[in-house]
Amino acid sequence: MSRQNKENPDKMPRVGPDDAAHPQGDPAAAAAARPGARDRAARQAANRAAREARRAAARAERAARRQDASRDAPPASAEPVGPPGNRPADPAPPARSAPAFATGPEPIPLPAPSHSVRFNILIVAQRGRLARQAALLAASLRDSAPGWQGRLIVAEPRPEGAWAGSDTLIEPPARALLADLGAEITPFTARVFGRAYPYGNKIEALSLLPAAEPFLFLDSDTLITGPLDRVPFDFARPSASMRRSASWPEPPLYGPGYGAIWKSLHDRFGLDFAASLDLSQPDEHWERYLYFNAGWFFGPDPQPFAQRFLDWAQAVRDDPGDALACQSLDPWLDQVVLPLVIHALGGGRPGPGLGGLDGDMTCHYRNFALLYAREPEPAIDLAERLLAGPALAALFAENESARTLILEGEGRRRLFPMRAQTRTMPERTLRHLLRQQGLWPG
């Protein structure tokens, strides 16, 4: 496997043509001047009609289910069925194909909580792709988790410090939409990573969060697909996403192996290496060692988490040590250090109650091509419905991937027939296929 970012599911390319500034002018006139604009407009109209028909059918089905449920429900004076405080379990979801990467435990049905733990959500956004994705995430949060209580904080790197010379400020339309959706855009100055390592934004932005308040970090290319307030977080025990692959390390032929590399890091920071192991996995198999995808993680207090994350990441970057001499840390540095921080703060692998993250509650889709190729259909339906709204549609109007796959319906028309294969396809192969089809962004 290449040590570069180009073919790995855990990280996405930093930039692409989609992130560049777009020419100024009248969007309608520009659209009319494009070749095939009339054909695209007709396809868009047909796709909008098809989406409306699907939504109408879904509404009718939900209404019928509610009517059946009310007809079959016991009278109000009857004793509740099941344990007090729990609602009946939801119907089992349809069987899903096995993913092409390792995940956490299967989700368990979540009872309605007797009380909700208020927590803040942190995401990062800056000019271009990340700003659009942040607005889509905020819209999905409002749509899918109306009962969630907390602050959605959007960390915006200032064009100074480690980002000096870069235009990082969120564009006015995205800024206004984020504010309308209840997000709080909060600027910060990156001092350590910045343009040299953009994934370090999440490390430095954590210090923006209020001390002693539970937090959840999410990558901006995430959809909220369910009632996030019903996820039974144990914030006293930090954890992170298990939707990861064997992306790091890549042990050289003559060593050191997985065990020696990870032990060197635990020893360096005074951590109990043996306590971090999954003993159900064989020695020198990558899943035996504590390793996360940094697409989501949470903890009880962002300040000690942030300080340890920053200090240790900077230390590993500046002096990797002999065991890491053959290892690439770009773009993997945040995912190398994250399990060390979580282990140090008393956390570990997520339990079954968190299976809804990367499941029924969130979808880390990464880009629209991968969304259509392998993610659950409810997440696709949600993205299509939200992007049909005028504010998001205008924000994504010049985004080629959104226009082609969603507005013009190429995602359903060209990728849905292949989903039986693409949902379980290794990502390297899947990306190659999408490039061949002309559907990979950038």
Side-chain angles (χ1 to χ4, degrees):
M1 180 182 295
S2 167
R3 291 178 185 161
Q4 300 303 316
N5 181 29
K6 304 299 184 184
E7 305 294 347
N8 200 281
D10 295 348
K11 297 285 185 181
M12 294 300 295
R14 295 178 182 172
V15 296
D18 182 41
D19 294 301
H22 295 291
Q24 301 298 314
D26 181 2
R34 294 190 193 102
R38 292 181 180 176
D39 291 342
R40 281 197 298 272
R43 289 198 299 271
Q44 290 173 4
N47 290 323
R48 281 195 296 271
R51 285 196 298 271
E52 287 300 325
R54 287 196 298 272
R55 285 198 290 270
R59 286 194 297 269
E61 183 180 352
R62 287 195 297 270
R65 284 200 301 266
R66 285 195 298 269
Q67 185 176 3
D68 289 344
S70 62
R71 183 173 59 247
D72 297 336
S77 59
E79 289 295 320
V81 177
N86 288 349
R87 66 172 181 82
D90 294 330
R96 293 180 289 181
S97 301
F101 38 77
T103 63
E106 283 296 309
I108 60 174
L110 300 180
S114 57
H115 64 280
S116 295
V117 177
R118 185 182 184 277
F119 61 92
N120 301 314
I121 295 176
L122 175 68
I123 63 176
V124 175
Q126 61 193 72
R127 175 177 292 271
R129 173 176 55 86
L130 290 181
R132 290 190 297 271
Q133 290 174 337
L136 181 58
L137 184 154
S140 71
L141 176 64
R142 170 175 283 190
D143 183 90
S144 301
W148 174 74
Q149 299 294 318
R151 297 166 62 192
L152 174 60
I153 298 174
V154 181
E156 177 189 40
R158 295 186 182 97
E160 61 187 27
W163 278 105
S166 299
D167 190 0
T168 58
L169 299 181
I170 297 170
E171 303 92 322
R175 185 179 297 275
L177 181 53
L178 282 164
D180 289 345
L181 292 167
E184 303 174 31
I185 299 175
T186 308
F188 74 100
T189 299
R191 303 289 184 191
V192 177
F193 297 111
R195 183 166 53 182
Y197 184 67
Y199 300 109
N201 274 343
K202 68 182 68 174
I203 300 174
E204 298 195 67
L206 279 172
S207 62
L208 292 176
L209 294 173
E213 294 186 13
F215 74 93
L216 169 67
F217 172 84
L218 294 169
D219 271 351
S220 302
D221 50 355
T222 299
L223 289 168
I224 309 302
T225 53
L228 202 58
D229 50 300
R230 288 183 52 209
V231 176
F233 291 101
D234 179 2
F235 284 102
R237 185 180 180 277
S239 195
S241 173
M242 293 285 280
R243 190 178 183 182
R244 78 279 191 251
S245 65
S247 53
W248 195 94
E250 290 187 331
L253 181 61
Y254 298 107
Y258 285 105
I261 290 170
W262 281 114
K263 187 176 187 304
S264 74
L265 288 165
H266 285 73
D267 290 349
R268 177 174 182 172
F269 297 110
L271 304 176
D272 184 349
F273 174 62
S276 73
L277 300 176
D278 179 357
L279 299 181
S280 69
Q281 299 290 346
D283 192 33
E284 289 303 309
H285 175 68
W286 68 274
E287 290 178 278
R288 183 180 177 90
Y289 308 97
L290 191 64
Y291 185 55
F292 299 114
N293 184 313
W296 62 259
F297 55 87
F298 66 85
D301 186 341
Q303 294 305 316
F305 198 114
Q307 193 61 57
R308 197 165 302 203
F309 206 174
L310 180 61
D311 290 347
W312 290 3
Q314 190 172 6
V316 172
R317 181 199 65 179
D318 294 346
D319 181 17
D322 292 342
L324 275 63
C326 296
Q327 301 301 320
S328 172
L329 292 173
D330 187 357
W332 313 115
L333 179 62
D334 58 329
Q335 295 191 171
V336 173
V337 177
L338 179 61
L340 306 175
V341 175
I342 286 177
H343 186 38
L345 295 174
R349 296 169 180 83
L354 299 179
L357 300 174
D358 296 325
D360 297 331
M361 300 293 174
T362 66
C363 174
H364 189 186
Y365 63 93
R366 295 181 174 85
N367 64 42
F368 292 133
L370 292 174
L371 174 69
Y372 278 96
R374 69 181 185 188
E375 301 300 343
E377 192 164 354
I380 298 170
D381 293 340
L382 175 64
E384 290 179 341
R385 178 164 56 80
L386 293 175
L387 286 169
L392 279 172
L395 194 63
F396 280 83
E398 295 302 313
N399 175 255
E400 182 179 357
S401 181
R403 187 174 64 248
T404 301
L405 295 173
I406 296 179
L407 300 178
E408 297 177 5
E410 292 297 295
R412 285 188 181 270
R413 187 160 44 247
R414 295 175 58 185
L415 287 174
F416 260 47
M418 300 187 290
R419 276 170 64 86
Q421 291 76 42
T422 57
R423 291 201 70 187
T424 57
M425 192 177 286
E427 181 144 337
R428 183 190 298 263
T429 307
L430 178 54
R431 290 190 185 200
H432 180 68
L433 173 64
L434 293 171
R435 288 190 181 98
Q436 282 185 324
Q437 299 288 324
L439 298 174
W440 186 255

